[in-house]
Amino acid sequence: MTPNSEFERRLAAIRARMDARDLDLLLIYSTPGSLRFGQRGHVMYVSGHEPYFGDTMLLLPRRASPPPLLEIDAASHFSRLSTWVDNVKHAGDHIQTLHAYLDELGLPKPRIGVVGEYSMSPALYSRLIEETNADIEVASSLLEEERAVKSEYEIQCMKQAGAVAWQGVQAAVKFARPGVREAEITGEIERVCRAAGSQFFPHYTMVISGFDNDHIDQWWRCGSRVLEPGDPWLLDFGTMVEGYCCDLSRPFSLGPPPARTREVFDVLLESLEAGRKMARPGVLASEVNAAIGEVLGQKLDMSVDWRKFGHGVGLEVHEWPFVGYHGIVDDPAYRDGKLEANMVISMEPSIFLPDTGDLQVEDQFRVTEEGGQRLSPIPLQIFTCGSA
């Protein structure tokens, strides 16, 4: 469970940001899931309650009174231990709940910041604007920026998730062999990680084998292929501890990897190191992406203009800051920005070649003045599995 001192720290920081923007109230909205930004994380970060069965709203005033209100998703599946918030309301009409809370707040025309508007249905957002007597503005960046910089507690949770994932990798090395299906390896990894303490798997546990690009292109749904002697295969997965994710990838080989595979993987490691050195406070996320891409472009003669080599990691497995996504200009969540100390970013250089199969290395790094500090204990190598 997240300690109360951590929530007190978060509330103080969020309310300071509300003061800076002159916001009387934050309406924080979240939906279930952990795969992409803006889903369960906003409400969970502030309240501790994880939206699981449906949409959830938290009303957080700038001052201590009235107390915050949490309107949960499914009343019959609520644990009192899931949140520090005392004022919990069963699922209902969010707009009516807001209006009743505004009456209690007692301001003639309050300033409301909406966090997580991208998780709201268009109909609900329209009702919010049309039916509420308030000055309303989108304020998702307020919480996105706050969540992007991690506390020591959050970083320790992600380190623990990485340690659990390492047990899964070691299990895969022992289990994988010719004649085994991709899905069987996935099952063994998840079995071991569950026993070691992973609460969930934030995205598909992806085991991708062989040289067939048509098969590999369906990386999120591979599972049916039977491994053969000499096969390369790739593991891309994450674990979760106290709600915090890790996102990792390593290549494997049934038998010793060929010289060409080792050569290409060394270039991936060189590009990862270039990104790691660049991951310092004040550096643009796009500059980290460019450092990775420059090595890959020069050494492997690959086009990297459109490639996105990283993202933040936390309560969501993909969150702020996004590394290399700034080309998606119509979505402010993907905006470029300067890194800050204690942000945690994933870097994931990868390449497919007909003679190597799918190669990738991914890990999480804490942004420091000396460059990225790797959070997982998993060696940066190609793992050799049983060849018979």
Side-chain angles (χ1 to χ4, degrees):
M1 299 291 288
T2 304
N4 287 335
S5 59
E6 177 70 9
F7 285 122
E8 290 168 0
R9 180 198 67 78
R10 295 174 186 181
L11 286 174
I14 291 167
R15 282 175 164 148
R17 290 177 182 269
M18 293 173 70
D19 279 335
R21 294 178 63 161
D22 193 26
L23 294 172
D24 300 304
L25 180 72
L26 282 187
L27 188 163
I28 303 170
Y29 204 83
S30 287
T31 53
S34 62
L35 186 57
R36 289 293 183 270
F37 70 93
Q39 297 188 8
R40 67 180 193 143
H42 286 327
V43 165
M44 192 174 178
Y45 182 81
V46 181
S47 74
H49 177 71
E50 179 180 2
Y52 185 80
F53 291 97
D55 299 354
T56 302
M57 179 178 72
L58 176 68
L59 300 177
L60 179 70
R62 182 173 11 174
R63 307 302 174 213
S65 180
L69 184 149
L70 176 66
E71 186 162 73
I72 62 174
D73 40 15
S76 59
H77 296 281
F78 173 71
S79 168
R80 185 63 259 169
L81 298 177
S82 71
T83 181
W84 58 267
V85 178
D86 293 322
N87 188 11
V88 177
K89 188 178 184 302
H90 293 174
D93 185 317
H94 293 314
I95 304 304
Q96 292 182 11
T97 298
L98 171 65
H99 292 171
Y101 192 86
L102 291 178
D103 289 342
E104 192 175 354
L105 192 63
L107 297 177
K109 194 170 185 180
R111 289 177 51 81
I112 301 175
V114 180
V115 174
E117 81 289 343
Y118 32 66
S119 295
M120 287 182 163
S121 70
L124 179 62
Y125 192 74
S126 294
R127 285 189 61 207
L128 171 66
I129 300 300
E130 295 167 4
E131 300 178 19
T132 305
N133 183 30
D135 290 328
I136 298 173
E137 65 179 74
V138 171
S140 290
S141 61
L142 183 153
L143 203 48
E144 293 165 2
E145 292 166 4
E146 180 62 32
R147 286 177 54 192
V149 178
K150 302 301 190 284
S151 68
E152 285 300 323
Y153 167 78
E154 294 175 289
I155 288 171
Q156 288 305 313
C157 288
M158 284 187 276
K159 282 186 174 182
Q160 291 176 41
V164 170
W166 175 216
Q167 294 193 43
V169 169
Q170 293 175 87
V173 172
K174 295 176 182 177
F175 185 82
R177 59 192 182 276
V180 170
R181 286 188 303 118
E182 294 163 324
E184 293 178 276
I185 301 174
T186 295
E188 177 66 5
I189 293 167
E190 293 191 350
R191 182 191 69 80
V192 169
C193 289
R194 281 284 192 183
S198 183
Q199 298 164 319
F200 190 61
F201 301 95
H203 62 60
Y204 293 109
T205 298
M206 294 175 277
V207 172
I208 311 150
S209 68
F211 300 92
D212 182 355
N213 194 36
D214 288 337
H215 176 74
I216 291 170
D217 271 349
Q218 299 188 82
W219 43 265
W220 70 96
R221 57 184 299 181
C222 290
S224 61
R225 187 178 180 277
V226 175
L227 272 65
E228 301 175 1
D231 266 350
W233 64 275
L234 181 72
L235 171 63
D236 188 340
F237 82 126
T239 59
M240 186 183 292
V241 171
E242 296 299 334
Y244 283 86
C245 306
C246 70
D247 192 8
L248 301 157
S249 182
R250 294 291 188 276
F252 296 72
S253 178
L254 293 191
R260 171 61 172 163
T261 298
R262 296 196 305 270
E263 175 187 312
V264 173
F265 184 69
D266 285 345
V267 175
L268 295 186
L269 292 182
E270 184 180 342
S271 71
L272 185 70
E273 177 63 9
R276 187 201 68 77
K277 289 180 178 178
M278 188 65 72
R280 304 185 308 273
V283 172
L284 288 170
S286 59
E287 293 178 292
V288 175
N289 197 72
I292 296 170
E294 182 177 6
V295 173
L296 297 179
Q298 290 179 355
K299 296 293 183 71
L300 297 178
D301 193 28
M302 61 182 285
S303 174
V304 295
D305 291 344
W306 59 272
R307 295 292 293 273
K308 301 172 281 291
F309 292 114
H311 52 83
V313 183
L315 288 173
E316 262 89 49
V317 73
H318 285 195
E319 62 174 46
W320 313 269
F322 289 94
V323 179
Y325 286 67
H326 53 282
I328 306 175
V329 296
D330 58 347
D331 193 330
Y334 293 126
R335 61 191 176 276
D336 196 11
K338 292 183 179 180
L339 299 181
E340 298 180 40
N342 295 323
M343 286 180 169
V344 173
I345 59 173
S346 162
M347 290 183 266
E348 47 183 337
S350 65
I351 189 170
F352 170 83
L353 295 171
D355 55 345
T356 67
D358 202 14
L359 285 174
Q360 177 173 313
V361 59
E362 179 178 14
D363 220 310
Q364 276 68 246
F365 295 84
R366 176 184 191 169
V367 175
T368 76
E369 292 289 348
E370 292 74 37
Q373 179 187 83
R374 195 160 68 91
L375 298 186
S376 93
I378 304 174
L380 297 170
Q381 67 178 66
I382 302 171
F383 288 91
T384 301
C385 310
S387 56

